Amino acid sequence: MFLINCPYCGERDQQEFKAGGEAHIERPKQPTELSDDEWAEYLFMRKNIKGVQFERWNHAHGCRKWFNMVRDTSNDEIKAIYKMGEKPPAQ
Amino acid sequence: MTKNLRVKSSEYIDETNRISFKFNGRTYHGFKGDTLASALLANNVHLVGRSFKYHRPRGIMTSGSEEPNAIVQVNPGINRTEPNVRATEVEIYEGLEASSQNCWPSVEFDIGGINNFLSPFFPAGFYYKTFMWPASFWEKYEFFIRHSAGLGKSPTSSDPDIYDHRNIHCDVLVVGAGISGILAAKNAAKNNFKTLLVDEKNELGGSTIFENNEFNKIDNKTPSEWLKKEIKELKNIKNLEIKTRTSVAAYHQYNYLLARENLTDHLEAKDKTNKIRQRLLKIRAKKVILATGALERPLIFNNNDRPGIMLSSAIKKYCEFYGVACGSKNVFFTNNDSAYESALSLYNKGINVEAIIDIREQSESKIVKKVKEAGIKVYWSHTIVDTAGYKRLNNISIMKLSNDGTSVTGSKISISCDCLGVAGGWTPAVHLYTQSGSKLKFDEEKQIFLPNQNTSEQISVGSCGGDFKIDEIIKNLNQKLKDNLNIKETDLDNIKVEIDQENSKRNIWLLPSDKPLGKTKPFVDYQNDATAKDIKLALREGFRSIEHVKRYTTTGMGTDQGKLGNMHALGIIADTAGVKMGELGTTTFRPPYTPLTFGTIVGRNVGKFFDIFRRTPMNDWHIDNKAEFENVGQWKRAWYYPINGETMHQAVQRESKAARESAGILDASTLGKIDIQGSDASEFLNRVYTNAWSKLAIGKCRYGLMLNEDGMVYDDGVTTRLGENHYIMTTTTGGASNVLGKLEDYLQTEWPELDVYLTSVTDHYATASLCGPNSKKILKKIIPNLDLSDESFPHMSFKEAKIGNIQCRIMRISFTGEHSYEINVQASYGKDLWEKCMEAGKEFNITPYGTETMHLLRAEKGFIIVGQDTDGTMTPIDLQMDWIVSKKKYDFIGKRSLYRSDTMREDRKQLVGLLTEDPNVILEEGAQIVSELNQSPVEMLGHVTSSYFSPNLNKSIALAVVRGGKEMMGKKLFVPMENKNINVTVANPVFYDEKNERLNA
Ligand SMILES: [Zn+2]
């Protein structure tokens, strides 16, 4: 059970949060311009890395804000947390 | 006659408090302070159970939670009964009953014991190899296995006890209250860390509390005396909470630990009532100090499992702590000095020690000399090659070990004895440490796994960190505390320690016998009857991974998780395969460290607290009027309202007819409601719904369909424009929270530039849906001054009004096809609103209807229910709802996916109506649909999604999804059922009032 430092609320237990998959996948601005393959790439393809992964999390049972997390999936170490729209930290 | 083996009053045993208890039906006596194990041993009872596979007689082996043999059923036959309890952990109380497990008909005479004599036929993997073939025989095998193998009995009636959960946040959690744990907790608390100290036993002090070795001194006192003084001082320390009888079961990431606090298990039945039995502590600690100690290892030799063979340290504890002599003719078998301490403990209390068998060549420590001076015979470089005594040990045979330790030489010496203490060295209890995700390394010199890489804020101190001697323990503890807690001084800086140095070591994982291995039984895992030869067989058969060997031989798979024998299993594998132990890796220790009761895990979440449920403000009315309820998400919704003993079918038919013929009323409070405000609210709706919203006038309502980005229907509902920048959206009952989450996600992460604010107001409004041709008259009676004309208040529009002083929002919208109003009031007025409608509707025979009738009425109109007629694979086009998909809008969620090659296929499953040839036959929801009956394999075209008997049409109707269904209008298909084939025709899904004339009736 992680201890997650919500950038708006502070440290809270993992059960207050919802994981939201891979981060930094931007919804295409002009979907109609994309081929089926390009759209499928956005829609379906997500990484599942053993190691450092960039993820979206939501403080669902708290402030309900979305934020980003850098997590090492091999040992669940949370390396960084930053707000939506902020640049990911250099790794 | 049982012999009383009490040796001397111990300060932990209250001899003035005599307690009677029953074991296997027979009454015994012990004293307050005894465990079931110590009390049985005091009564000379060693035989307490049978092993799992061979049903060999087994005795008490240890004095703690690592016990593999003495597994008992506590209080058999009553609702408080508990199986798989270790006798070494049960504190006795007046009236306690316990019985052996895994034996039938009795522990003394056990039918399964015949397996022991058949054991050549029961090698490792026997169950896998034999019972799997031929497959048809499994039932017979299963009967045999289930009958003879017993893992205890679960209670047959409900648990009378109360359980609880508690969250604890602390700066420092110390696990284990032996010498290291006590000193760590004391120094942490003194330095202003909020500290929690827990120990599984009821007394603090671990094994040091009875450590009276005269050669070990702390500040010139024996370790026992010195530690007692330290424990006294704990009482006066602030910031320190101590919990005894509290066992840490799991150590998760980020220093989150689960512990079980035992509160009433040691009390008599009358004192257990109405008290919390066990409490699950959910501990989040900034720092964790593991002081979990070490477990003594047995030695692996032929027939090392007879009752009377125990760990040397356990014999010492029973003697010093409980005042019990485990035998009258004692022998020790060792590879280190600790057996000499045990021997001396017995000797000092006048208990006979016959001999010590030591596999080492010699040892020169003071304690060894002292033992020799006491006249106890020591056999150096010897090993036990066999033991005798079926239900109790009565003899051992020893021989001289060869120099390389792989064989024996010389002649056999026979020693008569009734108790044998084995001392194979110490294994640090690193179970919790590894659960936390931290890694171990193997120390080749000490032959143990030690903590290596910590992944969280934690340290391991004392023997679980590899320090066994008091001087090392204190020195290393002091340094670790200073480093980890960042403190400058501790109590430990000026302690003077003298110790007796052990100077000789020898470790042999599997001791030889004069017989070949195949003819011996050297047990590695006592509980699962896995022997050294099983492990070697597994290796011969090609198993290499330790995890595979473990499962094949069942080593370490019992309720004790192989706490005693896992190291030997690894050692034997390493020796046999010719690799270093460090290269093998260790098996994973999984939570819980000791078993948890289900009661502790669920805590208070039983009965009506098992799951959260929500009730509407009108709920009491529904109950008073005998509604049946159904669960919709977390909601308890009125399902139907039977009167005069109606069946569900009868009630629903009556309600459905009344709603169309005169007036019906539905509690629609559970629909999700999201308040949407902001200058970009219209644009936001344009992006989340498939249809256009910009031109919706204030005061108008519109139905919207929401898709997932993959183009599949996600939710639907009516949204009303309350003002220029203000909308109220309704969602399905079950989808409300997910829809809000999805909208917030897009708003925060994809479109942060939009000025939109979302607020869930589901719980803030109560909604009564008034429907039917007389609904207008009823509403008029309630709000006489409101203009209800079609011109002023047309279908799909909204008005604010007042019922008396109560503000309400009224939407003229319909989910039934009838002229309808949805009246929303502040939730607390919900029941009042409902009662007003019922009162006003009396003359029109207003009929309350539930969800089932609502479903039927909308099905007559062909309206979908998201989640019933859709399943996450249906596009709006599949639903024949092309009309709601805007062609003009550049983008909305899911739009691009509607033009993928797959979603544009003509032969996708599409929503259609189905009519049965016999109008009285009602299809089953979920039934498959085919076009050919004599096809093999038969091609499934789709399935029935909704099906009812329509009282308004006087025939059965159904909605279904059928491959290419759009083009099949009028086509005959079949619904094959178990006993018959039902002929059906594809039809328009709108069965009733296709022209929507009733909306304005
Ligand atoms: Zn937050």
Side-chain angles (χ1 to χ4, degrees):
Chain A
M1 198 76 86
F2 307 168
L3 191 62
I4 297 175
N5 193 2
C6 170
Y8 304 93
C9 307
E11 283 188 339
R12 296 289 190 279
D13 193 278
Q14 185 186 346
Q15 64 185 356
E16 294 185 12
F17 296 85
K18 198 174 88 177
E22 191 181 344
H24 303 299
I25 295 178
E26 200 182 340
R27 187 174 187 272
K29 289 275 184 286
Q30 295 176 312
T32 47
E33 311 293 312
L34 302 183
S35 69
D36 269 10
D37 283 352
E38 286 166 332
W39 179 248
E41 182 67 29
Y42 158 71
L43 196 57
F44 301 121
M45 296 309 184
R46 296 293 182 272
K47 292 190 193 108
N48 185 15
I49 297 164
K50 182 180 180 184
V52 175
Q53 182 160 288
F54 294 74
E55 299 173 335
R56 291 156 20 100
W57 283 75
N58 179 230
H59 195 184
H61 298 283
C63 63
R64 295 193 64 83
K65 286 283 194 185
W66 283 90
F67 56 88
N68 292 314
M69 179 192 287
V70 186
R71 180 172 68 103
D72 187 332
T73 60
S74 68
N75 59 12
D76 285 328
E77 189 194 341
I78 297 170
K79 295 182 168 291
I81 281 176
Y82 52 102
K83 293 179 181 174
M84 279 294 155
E86 289 180 355
K87 282 225 154 56
Q91 287 298 310
Chain B
M1 254 306 276
T2 56
K3 229 179 346 177
N4 192 334
L5 293 170
R6 290 285 166 184
V7 281
K8 127 183 189 280
S9 59
S10 148
E11 60 190 286
Y12 301 101
I13 295 296
D14 179 3
E15 290 201 27
T16 64
N17 195 344
R18 195 161 177 264
I19 286 170
S20 63
F21 65 98
K22 274 188 183 170
F23 182 68
N24 286 337
R26 193 169 156 185
T27 302
Y28 296 94
H29 297 283
F31 298 113
K32 187 80 196 155
D34 266 324
T35 61
L36 179 57
S38 70
L40 286 172
L41 290 168
N43 286 283
N44 202 21
V45 177
H46 275 255
L47 172 61
V48 289
R50 294 273 176 162
S51 65
F52 189 67
K53 196 158 74 175
Y54 303 136
H55 289 244
R56 281 171 69 104
R58 289 283 164 79
I60 297 159
M61 176 97 195
T62 72
S63 59
S65 60
E66 72 273 31
E67 175 63 36
N69 293 341
I71 308 294
V72 299
Q73 179 100 24
V74 173
N75 295 320
I78 66 166
N79 54 5
R80 275 208 174 90
T81 192
E82 189 176 350
N84 300 327
V85 180
R86 292 157 297 281
T88 49
E89 293 192 301
V90 177
E91 294 174 47
I92 62 164
Y93 50 83
E94 191 64 36
L96 169 74
E97 289 191 34
S99 62
S100 299
Q101 289 181 189
N102 202 23
C103 52
W104 183 78
S106 79
V107 70
E108 295 287 334
F109 175 75
D110 181 279
I111 295 236
I114 199 156
N115 289 2
N116 185 32
F117 303 106
L118 296 175
S119 68
F121 306 111
F122 281 79
F126 174 75
Y127 288 79
Y128 297 118
K129 289 171 186 164
T130 309
F131 294 142
M132 293 305 146
W133 188 90
S136 59
F137 271 39
W138 171 246
E139 277 176 35
K140 291 189 181 74
Y141 294 136
E142 192 189 19
F143 174 81
F144 162 75
I145 293 167
R146 285 198 194 284
H147 208 69
S148 55
L151 284 173
K153 291 193 169 56
S154 51
T156 50
S157 52
S158 68
D159 191 329
D161 285 315
I162 306 165
Y163 300 83
D164 199 20
H165 285 185
R166 181 183 157 193
N167 287 296
I168 296 180
H169 296 264
C170 58
D171 294 324
V172 176
L173 169 69
V174 182
V175 185
I179 184 168
S180 327
I182 284 168
L183 296 178
K186 188 180 171 195
N187 281 286
K190 274 187 166 179
N191 282 282
N192 291 322
F193 290 95
K194 190 185 162 200
T195 304
L196 174 64
L197 171 65
V198 301
D199 194 278
E200 60 184 4
K201 298 279 197 310
N202 58 335
E203 293 284 345
L204 302 179
S207 60
T208 312
I209 206 70
F210 52 88
E211 173 58 72
N212 294 317
N213 181 341
E214 61 195 277
F215 303 112
N216 292 337
K217 289 275 161 65
I218 309 176
D219 286 344
N220 291 319
K221 295 192 171 76
T222 64
S224 159
E225 282 173 77
W226 185 83
L227 189 59
K228 279 174 201 163
K229 173 185 68 75
E230 290 289 311
I231 289 171
K232 265 192 204 127
E233 288 173 18
L234 292 179
K235 290 199 184 81
N236 306 319
I237 299 177
K238 277 188 230 160
N239 291 326
L240 177 62
E241 186 180 359
I242 300 173
K243 287 191 173 292
T244 54
R245 298 188 176 105
T246 300
S247 140
V248 174
Y251 186 167
H252 297 297
Q253 303 139 322
Y254 293 84
N255 279 350
Y256 182 69
L257 296 93
L258 297 175
R260 181 209 54 203
E261 184 182 16
N262 222 331
L263 299 162
T264 65
D265 276 359
H266 59 291
L267 301 178
E268 287 178 39
K270 66 178 168 61
D271 298 326
K272 292 185 205 275
T273 323
N274 293 329
K275 287 192 185 134
I276 292 167
R277 181 190 169 201
Q278 291 173 347
R279 185 180 278 136
L280 185 71
L281 306 179
K282 303 172 180 179
I283 307 167
R284 185 75 80 167
K286 293 211 173 75
K287 288 172 191 293
V288 172
I289 299 178
L290 293 173
T292 47
L295 301 174
E296 190 167 43
R297 295 175 189 168
L299 291 164
I300 310 300
F301 54 96
N302 184 23
N303 286 321
N304 57 346
D305 67 325
R306 299 192 188 280
I309 301 180
M310 304 173 70
L311 292 180
S312 152
S313 59
I315 292 175
K316 180 178 167 190
K317 179 163 187 184
Y318 286 117
C319 173
E320 296 278 358
F321 192 89
Y322 298 104
V324 173
C326 294
S328 47
K329 284 158 87 182
N330 296 283
V331 174
F332 288 91
F333 182 26
T334 188
N335 67 4
N336 68 91
D337 279 0
S338 55
Y340 293 79
E341 291 183 4
S342 303
L344 218 49
S345 276
L346 300 188
Y347 175 80
N348 288 339
K349 293 201 167 49
I351 306 164
N352 175 28
V353 178
E354 297 278 320
I356 295 181
I357 324 297
D358 198 323
I359 69 170
R360 298 176 297 178
E361 279 165 25
Q362 48 78 42
S363 170
E364 295 297 325
S365 57
K366 290 175 191 162
I367 189 131
V368 171
K369 282 184 187 147
K370 176 95 183 177
V371 163
K372 286 199 272 193
E373 281 162 25
I376 297 169
K377 169 88 177 146
V378 179
Y379 293 92
W380 298 106
S381 293
H382 272 69
T383 185
I384 296 179
V385 293
D386 203 356
T387 67
Y390 185 57
K391 289 180 199 164
R392 177 71 185 265
L393 177 74
N394 60 31
N395 201 288
I396 59 168
S397 310
I398 67 170
M399 286 176 81
K400 195 154 175 44
L401 262 176
S402 65
N403 287 338
D404 65 359
T406 59
S407 59
V408 284
T409 58
S411 55
K412 216 183 274 189
I413 304 165
S414 171
I415 302 171
S416 158
C417 58
D418 62 356
C419 186
L420 173 69
V422 289
W426 297 84
T427 299
V430 292
H431 310 74
L432 291 175
Y433 173 84
T434 59
Q435 280 181 24
S436 76
S438 298
K439 297 279 181 278
L440 297 168
K441 68 158 192 272
F442 190 71
D443 184 318
E444 292 288 347
E445 195 226 319
K446 291 181 177 170
Q447 295 276 291
I448 51 178
F449 282 100
L450 286 177
N452 185 25
Q453 262 182 299
N454 298 354
T455 58
S456 46
E457 288 276 353
Q458 57 162 268
I459 44 174
S460 294
V461 300
S463 54
C464 74
D467 299 329
F468 296 101
K469 291 285 176 188
I470 290 169
D471 59 338
E472 293 172 347
I473 289 173
I474 290 178
K475 190 180 107 211
N476 292 334
L477 171 65
N478 196 13
Q479 195 55 49
K480 284 177 181 173
L481 285 177
K482 286 177 176 173
D483 294 347
N484 190 254
L485 302 180
N486 202 14
I487 51 181
K488 292 211 168 61
E489 294 175 357
T490 70
D491 285 2
L492 311 176
D493 288 334
N494 301 311
I495 293 177
K496 275 193 279 169
V497 183
E498 294 166 42
I499 61 143
D500 184 19
Q501 285 297 344
E502 185 180 59
N503 52 20
S504 165
K505 283 191 191 307
R506 187 175 196 187
N507 191 45
I508 300 172
W509 293 115
L510 171 59
L511 290 155
S513 168
D514 54 330
K515 290 182 196 153
L517 182 65
K519 303 261 185 224
T520 64
K521 285 207 181 69
F523 287 92
V524 175
D525 182 317
Y526 296 83
Q527 201 175 90
N528 278 332
D529 276 341
T531 65
K533 63 183 173 188
D534 291 325
I535 292 171
K536 294 207 172 204
L537 176 70
L539 291 169
R540 273 206 311 279
E541 292 189 357
F543 290 91
R544 285 294 172 268
S545 153
I546 171 69
E547 294 290 346
H548 291 160
V549 173
K550 184 175 148 177
R551 278 161 184 77
Y552 191 58
T553 61
T554 69
T555 303
M557 305 281 281
T559 59
D560 60 340
Q561 294 203 2
K563 291 188 179 85
L564 293 184
N566 270 350
M567 285 298 290
H568 305 84
L570 279 171
I572 291 164
I573 294 169
D575 286 352
T576 309
V579 296
K580 285 193 168 163
M581 272 182 78
E583 292 160 14
L584 274 179
T586 174
T587 62
T588 321
F589 299 107
R590 290 192 178 82
Y593 176 65
T594 51
L596 290 174
T597 60
F598 283 117
T600 311
I601 294 166
V602 300
R604 302 264 176 176
N605 301 324
V606 292
K608 64 177 175 178
F609 300 118
F610 178 67
D611 196 12
I612 293 168
F613 58 85
R614 299 163 88 183
R615 298 267 196 195
T616 75
M618 290 80 143
N619 183 63
D620 287 352
W621 192 95
H622 304 322
I623 290 174
D624 291 346
N625 288 275
K626 310 280 183 294
E628 292 291 331
F629 287 86
E630 76 165 331
N631 296 327
V632 183
Q634 292 171 331
W635 290 98
K636 301 279 178 196
R637 294 196 73 177
W639 193 11
Y640 58 97
Y641 300 81
I643 48 175
N644 301 328
E646 282 175 323
T647 62
M648 175 172 166
H649 179 77
Q650 289 164 336
V652 170
Q653 295 289 305
R654 172 180 52 75
E655 292 170 12
S656 301
K657 238 174 142 51
R660 294 221 188 277
E661 286 175 0
S662 177
I665 182 168
L666 170 82
D667 181 356
S669 307
T670 62
L671 283 183
K673 294 177 272 292
I674 300 170
D675 184 273
I676 303 174
Q677 301 194 39
S679 56
D680 293 317
S682 303
E683 171 61 17
F684 181 65
L685 291 174
N686 268 334
R687 296 188 192 185
V688 300
Y689 278 130
T690 60
N691 46 352
W693 289 77
S694 310
K695 288 186 183 136
L696 185 70
I698 294 168
K700 297 289 180 193
C701 314
R702 183 164 288 171
Y703 173 76
L705 202 56
M706 199 181 288
L707 309 186
N708 253 335
E709 204 67 271
D710 60 7
M712 304 303 156
V713 170
Y714 183 69
D715 203 78
D716 68 346
V718 170
T719 295
T720 303
R721 189 166 196 176
L722 301 174
E724 176 64 26
N725 298 321
H726 191 185
Y727 292 83
I728 180 108
M729 172 189 280
T730 58
T731 73
T732 58
T733 296
S737 74
N738 288 338
V739 169
L740 180 69
K742 179 185 165 90
L743 298 184
E744 285 177 330
D745 187 350
Y746 275 90
L747 208 46
Q748 289 179 35
T749 67
E750 298 294 351
W751 310 320
E753 72 281 4
L754 293 185
D755 175 41
V756 176
Y757 302 89
L758 305 172
T759 311
S760 167
V761 292
T762 304
D763 292 340
H764 303 71
Y765 288 96
T767 309
S769 176
L770 202 54
C771 103
N774 285 318
S775 58
K776 189 173 177 176
K777 292 177 195 152
I778 295 168
L779 187 59
K780 190 75 189 169
K781 280 178 74 180
I782 301 170
I783 318 175
N785 57 359
L786 191 67
D787 185 353
L788 296 180
S789 66
D790 284 344
E791 296 71 40
S792 167
F793 198 178
H795 181 57
M796 296 310 270
S797 69
F798 153 83
K799 269 184 191 291
E800 268 190 282
K802 272 191 167 180
I803 304 175
N805 287 323
I806 307 168
Q807 194 72 33
C808 60
R809 290 172 172 172
I810 306 172
M811 283 81 168
R812 191 176 156 192
I813 53 179
S814 175
F815 192 41
T816 59
E818 296 297 318
H819 191 125
S820 307
Y821 300 95
E822 280 192 4
I823 312 166
N824 295 273
V825 294
Q826 207 182 317
S828 48
Y829 297 118
K831 195 172 168 228
D832 190 49
L833 166 71
W834 184 273
E835 282 166 347
K836 279 197 166 65
C837 293
M838 290 304 295
E839 182 58 34
K842 212 176 232 171
E843 61 177 294
F844 304 103
N845 189 27
I846 188 170
T847 301
Y849 65 92
T851 50
E852 191 64 21
T853 292
M854 174 187 82
H855 286 184
L856 191 160
L857 294 173
R858 64 86 208 179
E860 288 178 338
K861 287 294 296 171
F863 296 151
I864 59 154
I865 289 189
V866 174
Q868 175 159 345
D869 303 298
T870 71
D871 59 1
T873 67
M874 301 296 288
T875 70
I877 321 301
D878 298 337
L879 294 170
Q880 307 218 42
M881 291 172 77
D882 314 43
W883 53 272
I884 203 170
V885 181
S886 165
K887 301 267 188 309
K888 288 184 194 150
K889 283 199 293 182
Y890 179 70
D891 192 15
F892 56 81
I893 297 172
K895 173 162 178 162
R896 176 62 186 83
S897 292
L898 298 179
Y899 302 96
R900 291 176 57 233
S901 56
D902 184 60
T903 43
M904 285 170 65
R905 272 189 297 117
E906 297 283 312
D907 63 344
R908 289 177 61 82
K909 284 184 183 169
Q910 291 145 356
L911 186 81
V912 294
L914 280 190
L915 290 171
T916 49
E917 193 177 272
D918 177 350
N920 292 313
V921 172
I922 307 169
L923 296 172
E924 273 186 37
E925 288 174 0
Q928 295 291 324
I929 300 161
V930 303
S931 60
E932 300 285 336
L933 283 173
N934 300 317
Q935 211 180 19
S936 181
V938 63
E939 189 190 7
M940 305 292 186
L941 292 180
H943 65 276
V944 178
T945 60
S946 295
S947 176
Y948 306 90
F949 187 83
S950 161
N952 298 303
L953 298 161
N954 201 27
K955 65 179 178 188
S956 79
I957 55 167
L959 298 175
V961 291
V962 176
R963 199 177 302 155
K966 272 186 205 177
E967 302 301 319
M968 288 188 181
M969 213 50 61
K971 189 173 162 62
K972 299 229 180 298
L973 298 173
F974 308 96
V975 175
M977 299 303 291
E978 199 176 354
N979 302 316
K980 59 184 174 190
N981 296 308
I982 303 169
N983 298 343
V984 296
T985 309
V986 179
N988 182 343
V990 184
F991 300 101
Y992 188 79
D993 183 27
E994 204 177 331
K995 292 182 178 150
N996 294 325
E997 286 162 347
R998 301 188 61 84
L999 285 172
N1000 294 314

